[in-house]
Amino acid sequence: MSFLHTAWTRTRPNLLLVLPILLLAGALVAGGLTWRAQTTNREIAALEANQDRPVTTAAASQLILARVLQLARRDATEEMEPLVVALESRDVPLLLARARYALGNARLRRALDLIERSQLDPAGPLIVLARQEYRRALQARPEFWDAKFNLDVAARLIRDFPEVDRQIGDELKAEPKKIWTDIPGQPRGAP
């Protein structure tokens, strides 16, 4: 008992000096983290209000996602890609899935716009890229129903366009449709 009493009497004055310094350091760290979170929240609110704010790849993950979503509304896919890659290097699968989904949606919207203007050739690669983004979103978050649905829509779009071989001039040659199934045991040819 006397050993503990002796140790306590020796360390008590030092603890009384160190404890306020530790508490002050903890308060400063907490204040800095709070200030950083408030700054990030202000930037996210500004991006959601459609104010153009530059965001670096070193920013907070939520801020990067907010910038990706803003760029997706403007269909600026080239600007989105480095930010999505930055999210990929972090361990935030939910945010990454939302970013990939937004990138896929932007590409699919651009492809649908091209289809409406009857520009099928440039629309095909955009649909393929959109499908890839939806698959990557599902890899990050397998239960993401919206990504599943859009992947299905994009898969059906690319299937609906026949493979066409261009010939000289305006002549197009399309492959004939397969009428009979390739299921084993089913007859081939006329009934």
Side-chain angles (χ1 to χ4, degrees):
M1 190 67 155
S2 67
F3 173 74
L4 290 175
H5 180 45
T6 308
W8 173 248
T9 55
R10 286 185 183 173
T11 57
R12 189 175 68 174
N14 293 334
L15 283 177
L16 291 176
L17 289 174
V18 172
L19 189 60
I21 295 171
L22 289 176
L23 290 174
L24 179 64
L28 288 174
V29 168
L33 291 174
T34 302
W35 176 79
R36 190 169 116 189
Q38 289 176 345
T39 303
T40 300
N41 287 340
R42 278 194 301 271
E43 290 293 317
I44 290 172
L47 288 169
E48 288 175 352
N50 212 18
Q51 296 175 8
D52 195 22
R53 304 276 182 155
V55 174
T56 65
T57 56
S61 300
Q62 294 85 359
L63 184 59
I64 291 175
L65 177 64
R67 177 66 173 165
V68 165
L69 295 175
Q70 182 204 32
L71 291 171
R73 289 189 296 267
R74 296 186 341 204
D75 292 333
T77 56
E78 292 79 23
E79 294 177 46
M80 293 168 65
E81 288 174 358
L83 297 173
V84 173
V85 170
L87 278 178
E88 198 170 59
S89 66
R90 302 172 186 192
D91 189 26
V92 286
L94 297 177
L95 301 180
L96 177 62
R98 288 185 61 199
R100 292 263 179 221
Y101 175 72
L103 182 56
N105 284 345
R107 287 187 168 140
L108 189 60
R109 273 193 307 272
R110 189 183 296 168
L112 291 173
D113 182 50
L114 290 171
I115 290 170
E116 287 176 1
R117 292 186 276 149
S118 298
Q119 297 177 354
L120 302 181
D121 288 338
L126 287 173
I127 293 171
V128 170
L129 289 173
R131 283 188 348 199
Q132 289 174 354
E133 293 303 329
Y134 294 136
R135 282 191 186 110
R136 289 178 181 160
L138 288 170
Q139 286 174 346
R141 186 175 158 206
E143 71 280 358
F144 196 178
W145 190 87
D146 291 340
K148 289 178 186 178
F149 182 83
N150 286 7
L151 174 62
D152 185 52
V153 169
R156 289 174 191 256
L157 274 175
I158 202 71
R159 227 180 297 144
D160 289 343
F161 297 123
E163 291 295 323
V164 177
D165 293 328
R166 292 216 177 257
Q167 301 291 328
I168 297 174
D170 292 336
E171 187 179 324
L172 295 176
K173 179 181 177 184
E175 300 249 346
K177 275 191 166 182
K178 289 184 179 180
I179 297 174
W180 299 102
T181 64
D182 290 335
I183 300 173
Q186 295 295 321
R188 292 176 168 252

